Amino acid sequence: MRRQSSPFKPRPRRSWRAPGELLNFTLYFLCVVLLVLSRIGHNAVVDLRDRFIDLSAPLLEASAVPAIMGRHALARVRSYVGMMEEIDRLRTENEQLKQWEWRAKLLERNEAHLRSLLNAVDEPALHYVTGSVIADARGPFLRSALINVGRDDGVRVGYAVINGDGLIGRTVDAGSSVARVLLLSDLNSRIPVLVGPGGIRALVSGDNAAELKLEFLPDGASLYAGDEVYTSGSDGVLPRGLRVGVVTGTAGAFKVRPYAELSSLDVVSVLFFDTPTLTSTDPPPVSVDRALSAMPEDKRAPEAISAPGAAIEPARNLLEHTGAAGDLSPAEGLAQAQP
């Protein structure tokens, strides 16, 4: 009979495959030992670890150099590709701008021809002076600012004041080197404006709030949030077309949000826009040096101001004659001498 083989075969004896397995076992053992010693916090292990870090730092730094150089090279390649795309975009934009330049020159020639046919009067060029806001007055009934330009710089009462965003107000007082600006949000501010592409006439007034009120709209006016608001120039003081803000709110409660941030003004410009209305309302410069002078103090004739003794001399002569005659007292004589 054949001997049946057992299903359970004896496991073959495993022999060490030196030196690979021996090296792995040694490394595992050292890792376990170092891990245990690091948890214990022995001084020798700490010193050994610090020395190993010091020795391996140059090697790690040298090995990181190729990676750093590769990252920089990749960034340069991406930048170069981006520059090429930007150059192509600028070339396309330059071609478009050349076409628009040609169209603008053609429109200028057509406009000049039409203006010559209509015999239209050219609008005066707007000159300006730029200054800084040196103080601002804020209260329950006041929104104004002081700027460091005045009549010596050509500023007059009623000039429009703007910044890089749009209109901020107009000058209401002007001294030799300082002027006061009434902001759009002040209670006393009233600016005639045009609203939207249709040019709907309205009035923008301030109420000391961040947004302005839009008043005196015509019946049935079609307004939408986002419509642009700009000056109409119908008051004869402000030039036409200055940006004011955009329409906000809904029908029946429209507001205007100014383009300019009136609460944080820094550098502003005063537009020189002389009109007959402004020339007739703004008084001539005052000879007396003061900080602000909206109206002249003395409205007498220049001869009386330049020669103050001329008005006193007739009264003195009259007092002398009446005193000698004894008919009138000095007080009565002075009363008759006054005009």
Side-chain angles (χ1 to χ4, degrees):
M1 294 180 62
R2 296 180 60 182
R3 187 177 180 182
Q4 296 181 354
S5 60
S6 175
F8 301 99
K9 294 182 179 181
R11 189 175 182 181
R13 183 177 297 177
R14 188 176 180 181
S15 60
W16 289 94
R17 297 179 181 179
E21 293 186 359
L22 181 61
L23 180 60
N24 291 336
F25 176 78
T26 304
L27 292 177
Y28 291 151
F29 179 76
L30 288 176
C31 290
V32 172
V33 172
L34 292 176
L35 181 61
V36 172
L37 292 177
S38 63
R39 299 296 296 177
I40 295 175
H42 196 271
N43 293 331
V45 177
V46 174
D47 295 339
L48 181 62
R49 183 176 59 188
D50 293 340
R51 291 180 183 180
F52 178 76
I53 293 175
D54 293 338
L55 293 175
S56 61
L59 298 176
L60 295 175
E61 185 177 358
S63 62
V65 170
I68 295 174
M69 295 180 62
R71 187 166 59 251
H72 290 172
L74 183 60
R76 291 179 181 177
V77 171
R78 291 178 178 175
S79 176
Y80 179 75
V81 174
M83 290 176 60
M84 295 299 296
E85 294 178 355
E86 183 69 15
I87 290 174
D88 294 338
R89 188 187 65 82
L90 290 176
R91 286 177 179 174
T92 305
E93 185 177 354
N94 191 21
E95 294 297 331
Q96 295 177 356
L97 290 177
K98 287 182 179 179
Q99 296 177 4
W100 281 110
E101 182 183 6
W102 177 80
R103 294 180 182 179
K105 290 181 179 179
L106 181 61
L107 291 176
E108 287 180 356
R109 289 195 297 267
N110 294 337
E111 182 187 6
H113 178 66
L114 293 176
R115 294 180 70 87
S116 62
L117 291 178
L118 294 174
N119 196 20
V121 179
D122 294 333
E123 295 182 358
L126 291 179
H127 301 283
Y128 63 92
V129 62
T130 302
S132 301
V133 176
I134 57 178
D136 56 351
R138 301 184 183 277
F141 306 104
L142 183 64
R143 291 290 188 275
S144 64
L146 290 178
I147 57 177
N148 60 349
V149 291
R151 292 187 182 272
D152 293 343
D153 304 295
V155 177
R156 302 180 65 177
V157 174
Y159 279 166
V161 184
I162 64 173
N163 65 355
D165 298 323
L167 181 69
I168 67 170
R170 58 186 178 86
T171 57
V172 292
D173 297 321
S176 58
S177 60
V178 67
R180 183 180 298 278
V181 180
L182 186 72
L183 301 180
L184 294 176
S185 57
D186 190 272
L187 285 173
N188 299 316
S189 177
R190 301 289 187 275
I191 304 295
V193 296
L194 299 176
V195 185
I200 302 173
R201 293 187 177 273
L203 189 72
V204 168
S205 60
D207 57 355
N208 291 351
E211 294 186 344
L212 313 176
K213 295 189 297 184
L214 191 60
E215 301 175 331
F216 298 102
L217 289 168
D219 296 336
S222 298
L223 295 183
Y224 303 95
D227 286 346
E228 188 174 4
V229 181
Y230 50 94
T231 58
S232 64
S234 59
D235 56 352
V237 177
L238 299 179
R240 180 188 178 96
L242 297 181
R243 302 172 68 229
V244 177
V246 293
V247 177
T248 60
T250 57
F254 283 117
K255 296 282 188 177
V256 176
R257 184 176 68 250
Y259 284 123
E261 186 62 36
L262 302 178
S263 60
S264 58
L265 298 174
D266 186 11
V267 179
V268 298
S269 297
V270 182
L271 300 180
F272 297 165
F273 186 70
D274 292 322
T275 61
T277 303
L278 189 147
T279 304
S280 61
T281 55
D282 185 36
V286 182
S287 60
V288 181
D289 294 333
R290 294 191 304 161
L292 293 175
S293 56
M295 297 294 292
E297 281 186 345
D298 202 337
K299 296 183 179 296
R300 293 178 298 173
E303 295 80 3
I305 298 176
S306 59
I312 303 175
E313 189 64 29
R316 182 182 295 112
N317 295 335
L318 182 59
L319 286 174
E320 291 178 356
H321 291 295
T322 55
D327 297 335
L328 297 174
S329 63
E332 294 176 347
L334 182 58
Q336 291 186 5
Q338 291 179 353

